[in-house]
Amino acid sequence: MAELHVLIIEDSELDSALLLRTLRQGGYDLVDKRVDTPNDLQNALRERQWDCIISDFSLPGFSGISALKMVREKDSNVPFIFVSGTIGEDVAVEAMRTGAQDYVLKDNLARLLPTVDRELMDAETRRRHRNSEQKLRQLEKFEAIGKLAGGIAHDFNNVIGAIMGWAELGEEEVAEGSRAHKFFVQIREQSERAGRLTRQLLAYARRQVLTPRNINLNDIVGEAMALLQRVIGEQIEVKTLLASDLHTTKVDPAQVEQVLLNLCLNARDAMPNGGRLVIETCNTDLDEAYCLGNGSVSPGRYVRLSVSDSGVGMDAATMERMFEPFFTTKDKSKGTGLGLATAFGIAKQHLGHIDVYSEVGKGSIFRVYLPATEDSAETRVAIQEAPVRGGTETILLAEDHEGLRQMSHEVLTGLGYSIVLARDGREAVEKFEANPQKFSLLVLDVVMPRLGGLDALERIRGINPTIPVIFTSGYSEESQMLSSLVSRGVAQLLQKPYPPKDLARKIRDILDTCGAKQGSALN
């Protein structure tokens, strides 16, 4: 039996009882209220959200048209049906123009039930259409903000990378413990913080280059728990409900771990006086009806990660803006407003989805959907930081940002390498063509004027198909192509901004690996 919240505007208790009996006979379980004055109507509209309103047309000192106008000021979408003993054609037309859905004569109540059924179905259709339009407008707004954020992040990453590099070089030049050394450390640490912010912007903009692997999401939750227990605090109870038969999902583990951490920290902040945080995983299917109402997600099999809290919850206005970058309801000292925006961008870039349910005073639940795969999960291996070592090989380095180009040259020549610099992809191709045998490795920025790194590599590999390459990227429209090259082992990637030592380690690792392969082939 379907529950129906119905408001009756009627001065006659007998007529109201007849209307309610007709609806009950039609199979509705009613939550009802009768009002017959403007004041009672205002109170009833504030009291709850009504599914349907049925009104007499003529009431003592109070007209049905006045009641309709009051209702429409509060709720423009609730079905409103007149039931009247006498209503002329002209009056009926006026009522429909004012916003009524239909009218039924009291001597023909047989029409009431099909009219209510129809209007409830139409209201649900309108609601879904409004929701779809609202979500589409939100996605368009987020896309526009994302493009702006991505462009800003690209420019900032070059500047931040240069500052980070020069600070690290300065640290090594002065005595440890000196005032100058402390200043350089502060500069480097602040540049790293700025770099984390730009990475969050890129994640929101869906411009991160992903390194996807087949994983079991339960492993991500398990590895994150030790950190979460430290930062969540003892006053919050943390519980995990992890499906034992969880499907594999192909994602970038570091990015998905970031989503989990951001959602959990957001939940923590929503429970300043303590509460309960539940992390849950399960398998689920998204059907066509769900996907039609949720924009860019496609029907199919998904793995769901849910993070729920018993915190303060969110109102409708907050929920509408919660995924915007830099939007926050917290004190400015407690957050940047990038946590949920980052989670949103990462989920979308993985062809997934986030939906949210929240009530003020009752908490929130965030559900992250990631596409499932038939492949088996891989084991995650901890990466150990190798020492920085140099060499004598010749490297072609193409970078259009002068500060980064000069800083990288300083670092690598200091390690013994011979560095040939290029200001863009075309110059890199020309210098390689002049002496192809000279170079052992390429370091190419992805986005450069005249010719980008991807196109430059294609031309260079027409001459030497096996030369190793490291791409550096602060932002790229070709992130999917880059991810494909990296996952197939065709190229290595350094995300800007990066510490100079990371570049040096990656160069040495690649050159040693190539040297080992060549030695093996000769033997």
Side-chain angles (χ1 to χ4, degrees), residues 243-499:
S244 59
D245 61 343
L246 198 65
H247 296 317
T248 302
T249 182
K250 190 170 186 178
V251 294
D252 186 320
Q255 296 292 315
V256 173
E257 186 174 59
Q258 188 66 52
V259 171
L260 174 61
L261 292 173
N262 287 355
L263 294 181
C264 289
L265 293 176
N266 190 69
R268 177 201 64 186
D269 294 341
M271 298 183 285
N273 299 315
R276 193 169 191 235
L277 171 65
V278 180
I279 303 168
E280 185 177 0
T281 61
C282 68
N283 301 315
T284 190
D285 293 327
L286 297 184
D287 59 20
E288 228 169 282
Y290 179 91
C291 296
L292 281 172
N294 287 281
S296 57
V297 67
S298 301
R301 297 166 62 243
Y302 285 79
V303 175
R304 187 174 76 196
L305 170 68
S306 303
V307 176
S308 58
D309 66 69
S310 58
V312 296
M314 293 181 284
D315 58 23
T318 300
M319 289 183 68
E320 189 171 340
R321 299 189 61 195
M322 63 186 167
F323 291 127
E324 289 183 20
F326 304 114
F327 173 77
T328 181
T329 58
K330 305 170 193 172
D331 186 275
K332 294 298 180 184
S333 64
K334 293 185 178 179
T336 60
L338 285 172
L340 292 183
T342 301
F344 174 86
I346 291 172
K348 290 298 180 185
Q349 193 170 2
H350 282 90
L351 304 181
H353 177 65
I354 298 184
D355 72 24
V356 187
Y357 178 78
S358 185
E359 287 187 45
V360 174
K362 295 184 178 180
S364 305
I365 178 167
F366 286 77
R367 300 182 184 92
V368 183
Y369 297 89
L370 298 167
T373 176
E374 298 291 343
D375 298 328
S376 299
E378 306 168 36
T379 303
R380 292 188 73 182
V381 180
I383 299 172
Q384 303 217 338
E385 195 173 82
V388 176
R389 295 181 295 116
T392 58
E393 293 90 345
T394 300
I395 298 168
L396 176 57
L397 188 148
E399 168 61 63
D400 64 307
H401 189 274
E402 184 177 357
L404 264 182
R405 190 170 63 247
Q406 295 304 323
M407 183 273 296
S408 299
H409 180 266
E410 186 75 24
V411 170
L412 297 177
T413 53
L415 290 169
Y417 297 109
S418 175
I419 305 298
V420 176
L421 297 175
R423 288 166 293 186
D424 55 55
R426 187 177 297 177
E427 187 178 344
V429 173
E430 291 169 355
K431 290 190 174 182
F432 187 86
E433 287 175 338
N435 192 351
Q437 305 305 317
K438 179 179 181 179
F439 299 102
S440 301
L441 176 77
L442 308 174
V443 179
L444 303 175
D445 187 16
V446 175
V447 179
M448 294 185 287
R450 297 209 298 170
L451 193 69
L454 290 168
D455 292 330
L457 178 65
E458 186 177 348
R459 297 189 189 184
I460 288 172
R461 284 206 164 151
I463 304 167
N464 180 352
T466 61
I467 188 165
V469 60
I470 297 172
F471 283 117
T472 62
S473 173
Y475 159 84
S476 177
E477 295 287 353
E478 293 89 6
S479 57
Q480 284 189 337
M481 185 181 295
L482 267 176
S483 294
S484 175
L485 291 173
V486 172
S487 63
R488 290 187 284 118
V490 175
Q492 296 283 326
L493 174 72
L494 263 181
Q495 297 261 24
K496 293 180 179 179
Y498 51 82

